[in-house]
Amino acid sequence: MTTPIGRRSLIGATAAMTLTRRAKAAGQVVVGTWGGDYGALLDKNIDKPLMAPQGIEVVQDVNNAEPRKTKLTVERKSRRGTMDVACLSDIDLYTMSQLDVWEPVTEQAVPNLAHVPKAYRTPYAIPQIISGKVMLYNPGKMAPPKGFADMWDPANKGKLGLIDIQYLYVIMLANLAKGGPMNDFSAGKKALMELKALEPRIYPSNEEFAVGMKTGEVLFGPMWLARGVFWKKGGINMAAAVPAEGAIAYVSGAGVPKNAPNKENAMAYLNAMLDPRAQVGFAQSMSYAPTVNNAPVPEPLMKEIGFTAAEQANMKYPDFEYLAKNTASLLDFWNKEFKA
Amino acid sequence: MKKEAKTFVRYTSALILPATLVALVLLVAPLLLLFRYSLNIYSPTDLMIEALTAANYRAAVTDPYYRDVMATTLRVAFVSTLIALAAGFPAAYTLARMGPRWKSALTILTVFPLLVGNVVRAAGWLTLLGNAGVVNAGLQRLGLTAGPVQIIYTEGAVIAGLVTVVLPYMILTLASVIENIAPAVEEAALNLGAPPFTVFRRVIFPLALPGVVAGSALVFILCMNAYATPVLLGGAKFKMMAPAVYDQFVRTSNWPFGAALAFILLAVTLGLTLSGSALLQRRSGPKTA
């Protein structure tokens, strides 16, 4: 009795189609991306220095990840899409790959892919930047946490800060702390319910957590290493400890929709994202580690933003399939049970 | 006479046509589309599956979490409206009875808070009332408290924030009605020996009731649908309906459930506003007649 929704529900596609039609004529590429710092860094490190010399003008289609995913979902059955490149997190890239949205990414089309270690590769997208979920702490006021499990240490009551929008990873790392597998978070959910007794503070956004750390309202919390380095540069007394359970890998990347109007330009864009110059630029300004092995990031910076061989071997990778199916119910748990 | 009436109708329809068209295209059409979505089934992979089911409404109404969210929303909206009315009435009365020179200056001052966006204002409150904010620093320096007092991320902070947002609407609506109450009526009551509070209770307030109804309805609707203030001043654990609707659309892409929540919010707001206005107006009926 039911049929999946196709392009009938496609919103604003007409306007966007006009945009992309013009884009092709002028040798352009439409990149669906976040705005703010990230969009500005794409412009500074990729669009202007690497794409402009090829005669390709980059048009940024700025939005958050969810609207971008929605666009890809509803457009996937139309002959022509509105985006040439879509920047997304590893989880979202996978979720979209399940809808058969992506054009396969090969070394022929994206030569710089040859420098990407096998662990980060997928058939459908390129990895652009990488970091990991670690424990950030105030080194002036506490000893380095040994692992995610330290969150449950009664001595740390009232000192822990969590971030609301990072709920998926908080449940994941709670699960890791209790020895749970990556494809069943029941142990993590139970552990979080117990954690409530230790009164963790829940901040609405990343930035508010940083303010909490700065003012000493909280002394530690799990967050991306890249953010920790960035905030430390900004003057917050903060250090990072790689947890004994293993840092959780976070890769942000980009894919090319099958119905991209400027496919060749799109592949050129993915190649530019992996260009050593762009990779060094992102490492320096965003503190994310490169995903290629030929980017000459200065040694002291690499020590701060990268992981040692042992830490990399112990790194935990999210089970994308499990997350794609359970995100809605995990958010329900977070809102209705943990935060209640 | 008949001809005149016809011309009047023709003019009136011509005058309301542009506004009606705008409302139809930009409000009614999206609402109809959204209502259609609310009857679909959510799918994590397909966005939504076309169907005709009331399951989303059932789920929203039976879930204790969303009942709580609705209760919080109603409580916050009621209290904010009452405070805005209590604080706004004296201000509106003063404004209405003021000489023309001062009146325009005071009107501009009343509207002034509306020139600052909600988000900017709430951000200012954060630095003022945060645990490391100006107020807490002052309290601690004066030795009144040992540690920081939790002011933001509470229901009280949201109510206070909302009242500052809606107060100008209440004052301006009330003032426009009070202006039309002839001062002679008050003077007559005073001359007949009524004390000032009785004048207010028996004369001014009943005559200002249409303004009270309109102002309260406007403010109540604004509070029920508030988004920025509850998000910024309520923090991660505090939930009102508008942010809950947003969460469904943006965090989990559950459009059908988000649409159902939006329609429940719309229905409750509309129902309460209409029945509240009707009740107040009926009460005032016999006395003013």
Side-chain angles (χ1 to χ4, degrees):
Chain A
M1 211 46 62
T2 57
T3 46
I5 295 238
R7 60 184 165 191
R8 255 179 301 156
S9 28
L10 192 143
I11 292 159
T14 329
M17 290 285 264
T18 336
L19 176 77
T20 44
R21 215 165 282 149
R22 247 190 296 136
K24 186 163 191 178
Q28 292 179 329
V29 61
V30 180
V31 179
T33 172
W34 297 271
D37 287 348
Y38 183 78
L41 285 175
L42 284 181
D43 185 60
K44 185 183 151 209
N45 292 299
I46 298 172
D47 305 0
K48 289 211 174 91
L50 301 175
M51 299 307 287
Q54 298 181 50
I56 302 172
E57 194 198 335
V58 180
V59 178
Q60 286 192 355
D61 174 1
V62 172
N63 226 326
N64 279 330
E66 279 303 322
R68 189 149 56 249
K69 278 165 65 188
T70 304
K71 227 179 202 182
L72 289 168
T73 308
V74 295
E75 283 179 4
R76 73 187 197 275
K77 280 171 192 155
S78 51
R79 203 168 49 83
R80 291 167 64 91
T82 58
M83 270 182 282
D84 296 310
V85 174
C87 300
L88 286 171
S89 73
D90 45 7
I91 299 177
D92 289 339
L93 284 167
Y94 171 85
T95 310
M96 289 293 113
S97 80
Q98 293 306 291
L99 299 184
D100 202 19
V101 161
W102 305 119
E103 181 78 14
V105 173
T106 60
E107 276 186 37
Q108 284 78 42
V110 184
N112 280 330
L113 203 58
H115 303 287
V116 176
K118 288 257 175 339
Y120 304 154
R121 287 202 206 179
T122 60
Y124 50 82
I126 60 126
Q128 189 210 359
I129 48 177
I130 182 165
S131 195
K133 199 62 126 183
V134 297
M135 287 306 268
L136 299 181
Y137 66 100
N138 182 334
K141 293 194 175 155
M142 72 182 282
K146 291 188 183 67
F148 293 134
D150 285 26
M151 287 167 40
W152 284 265
D153 184 343
N156 289 331
K157 185 174 178 178
K159 297 178 186 168
L160 173 68
L162 298 174
I163 303 169
D164 195 35
I165 55 170
Q166 300 282 341
Y167 70 97
L168 215 50
Y169 285 91
V170 176
I171 305 174
M172 199 185 306
L173 65 89
N175 197 58
L176 271 180
K178 299 295 165 184
M182 292 305 261
N183 59 3
D184 175 12
F185 290 172
S186 19
K189 288 198 219 170
K190 190 168 160 269
L192 281 178
M193 294 311 282
E194 289 160 14
L195 185 65
K196 284 166 81 164
L198 298 179
E199 294 162 17
R201 277 183 185 274
I202 305 173
Y203 293 96
S205 69
N206 301 340
E207 287 69 25
E208 275 154 296
F209 169 72
V211 174
M213 286 290 287
K214 186 174 181 180
T215 58
E217 195 172 81
V218 289
L219 299 184
F220 77 123
M223 191 46 188
W224 309 122
L225 173 63
R227 282 286 183 151
V229 176
F230 184 77
W231 287 330
K232 197 176 149 197
K233 268 193 213 162
I236 302 178
N237 190 11
M238 200 182 261
V242 177
E245 298 91 345
I248 302 175
Y250 169 80
V251 180
S252 182
V256 175
K258 275 187 171 156
N259 53 8
N262 307 291
K263 227 173 262 176
E264 263 177 51
N265 292 355
M267 290 298 174
Y269 196 83
L270 296 194
N271 201 47
M273 286 176 112
L274 295 173
D275 189 287
R277 287 165 287 175
Q279 291 272 321
V280 172
F282 267 83
Q284 281 167 340
S285 32
M286 259 192 112
S287 309
Y288 279 83
T291 51
V292 295
N293 53 23
N294 64 339
V297 176
E299 193 61 32
L301 176 62
M302 200 57 209
K303 258 198 172 143
E304 263 193 302
I305 63 173
F307 292 86
T308 65
E311 287 162 356
Q312 279 185 44
N314 192 26
M315 212 161 212
K316 298 293 181 293
Y317 293 86
D319 185 321
F320 300 136
E321 194 187 340
Y322 176 74
L323 292 176
K325 282 188 187 139
N326 293 287
T327 298
S329 69
L330 290 169
L331 178 62
D332 262 1
F333 160 78
W334 179 259
N335 278 334
K336 297 179 187 174
E337 293 177 51
F338 178 62
K339 284 200 314 192
Chain B
M1 200 61 187
K2 254 187 172 176
K3 202 178 170 193
E4 264 175 33
K6 264 190 184 166
T7 322
F8 176 75
V9 168
R10 205 178 308 148
Y11 275 128
T12 316
S13 12
L15 285 172
I16 61 168
L17 187 70
T20 313
L21 276 181
V22 169
L24 277 177
V25 175
L26 296 178
L27 186 70
V28 178
L31 274 180
L32 287 176
L33 193 65
L34 202 65
F35 181 69
R36 179 66 196 84
Y37 287 167
S38 73
L39 305 175
N40 285 339
I41 298 169
Y42 167 65
S43 151
T45 48
D46 281 309
L47 193 64
M48 53 188 165
I49 307 204
E50 220 166 90
L52 280 175
T53 168
N56 296 307
Y57 289 93
R58 247 194 325 268
V61 174
T62 50
D63 190 328
Y65 173 75
Y66 287 104
R67 281 212 299 261
D68 257 15
V69 174
M70 182 53 97
T72 308
T73 310
L74 286 170
R75 193 171 56 239
V76 168
F78 270 124
V79 174
S80 305
T81 308
L82 279 180
I83 295 176
L85 182 61
F89 204 99
Y93 182 79
T94 315
L95 185 66
R97 291 288 183 252
M98 200 157 263
R101 241 180 72 197
W102 286 103
K103 188 183 276 180
S104 53
L106 208 66
T107 308
I108 291 171
L109 274 180
T110 310
V111 183
F112 199 74
L114 299 179
L115 300 179
V116 184
N118 282 356
V119 176
V120 177
R121 192 188 346 228
W125 283 59
L126 285 179
T127 49
L128 196 69
L129 304 175
N131 284 8
V134 181
V135 171
N136 260 317
L139 286 176
Q140 283 172 72
R141 186 154 297 172
L142 291 172
L144 293 173
T145 55
V149 183
Q150 188 67 43
I151 306 174
I152 52 160
Y153 301 157
T154 59
E155 191 167 311
V158 176
I159 292 174
L162 278 175
V163 169
T164 63
V165 175
V166 297
L167 202 52
Y169 293 99
M170 182 65 97
I171 294 177
L172 293 180
T173 316
L174 286 171
S176 66
V177 175
I178 298 173
E179 262 174 14
N180 292 325
I181 303 173
V185 183
E186 288 167 49
E187 286 156 14
L190 285 167
N191 270 344
L192 291 169
F197 184 69
T198 310
V199 176
F200 167 76
R201 196 169 55 86
R202 300 289 299 273
V203 179
I204 305 171
F205 191 77
L207 287 175
L209 209 58
V212 172
V213 171
S216 302
L218 180 65
V219 162
F220 181 73
I221 292 170
L222 286 173
C223 292
M224 284 293 284
N225 294 292
Y227 176 79
T229 311
V231 166
L232 292 169
L233 296 180
K237 287 187 178 177
F238 183 83
K239 263 284 177 305
M240 277 173 68
M241 281 300 276
V245 172
Y246 178 84
D247 262 8
Q248 288 303 319
F249 278 92
V250 170
R251 269 186 167 184
T252 50
S253 290
N254 191 343
W255 289 24
F257 191 67
L261 280 182
F263 272 93
I264 291 171
L265 175 62
L266 184 75
V268 171
T269 311
L270 207 64
L272 284 174
T273 309
L274 292 180
S275 53
S277 308
L279 203 74
L280 274 174
Q281 256 152 356
R282 200 165 33 179
R283 268 196 60 192
S284 74
K287 281 182 195 162
T288 50

